[in-house]
Amino acid sequence: MNTFWNWLAKKGQHSLLHTISLAALVLAVFIINTAADMGPFGPLLASAGIYLAIFVALLQLFHWAATGLRVFASRRAK
């Protein structure tokens, strides 16, 4: 269990990317949930929140794909 806490306490190279992604995802969920209170402006706001959530998902997907390719290439190079 101590190893897990030590791993969690370390700052990684991409900690800022993941922190911003999480904050943007929370913002997107907040925007989508509050869009119903905006009247006729609601659908535009809801779609903006959905696009923000899709952007965050794609950002993380591309980051993990690049990481996977880098790991795969380093194993193949050995």
Side-chain angles (χ1 to χ4, degrees):
M1 190 67 170
N2 196 21
T3 306
F4 172 74
W5 291 114
N6 287 336
W7 172 78
L8 193 59
K10 291 180 187 175
K11 272 195 166 182
Q13 181 180 2
H14 302 288
S15 296
L16 183 62
L17 172 76
H18 298 306
T19 303
I20 290 172
S21 294
L22 182 63
L25 185 63
V26 170
L27 177 64
V29 169
F30 178 76
I31 288 172
I32 293 168
N33 285 334
T34 59
D37 299 334
M38 296 296 173
F41 185 63
L44 181 63
L45 194 60
S47 63
I50 291 169
Y51 287 135
L52 181 61
I54 290 171
F55 170 74
V56 169
L58 288 174
L59 180 69
Q60 287 295 316
L61 178 74
F62 290 148
H63 170 71
W64 287 111
T67 301
L69 283 173
R70 191 169 44 247
V71 168
F72 178 73
S74 69
R75 287 184 181 168
R76 295 285 290 175
K78 290 182 181 180

